[in-house]
Amino acid sequence: MEEMSAKFLQSKLSDAKMHFERALDCKHTEFDDLYPYMIEHPQFFWYKRYVAWSELLTIVKLCSELEIAWREQFTQKQADYVAGRVMSSRVLDEWYETNDSKEESAESMDLK
């Protein structure tokens, strides 16, 4: 039973992470279906991200309380953000780890 519960929560954690990342990328989520009128309001994307972040933190809290591993589904930096619990502009800007901007610039110059 415990193994089934762990797998269930890890699956829910994966779903919550995907939901947050879709909200972060301004892609369609279930939230859009629940509140279609909010798309017309500029604060919508901030609120949508906040809701997805809250969902993610709730699942992580449950995993922690039940001693179910959760950090493995995240990069070290992402796990640190989640453990810090505060969604800041830094979290939004640096959630995805990218290559050094100098390397990206060099690659784009090679393509020209």
Side-chain angles (χ1 to χ4, degrees), residues 35-50:
Y35 302 101
Y37 63 89
M38 287 191 70
I39 293 172
E40 301 167 10
H41 302 285
Q43 71 273 20
F44 170 72
F45 290 109
W46 175 255
Y47 188 70
K48 180 176 166 175
R49 290 171 181 160
Y50 171 77

Side-chain angles (χ1 to χ4, degrees), residues 18-35 39 44 48-49 51-52 55:
M18 184 173 51
H19 183 211
F20 175 69
E21 290 176 346
R22 289 187 65 79
L24 191 62
D25 295 338
C26 300
K27 292 184 178 176
H28 185 85
T29 67
E30 290 178 13
F31 189 78
D32 298 296
D33 298 333
L34 293 172
Y35 302 101
I39 293 172
F44 170 72
K48 180 176 166 175
R49 290 171 181 160
V51 168
E55 176 188 16

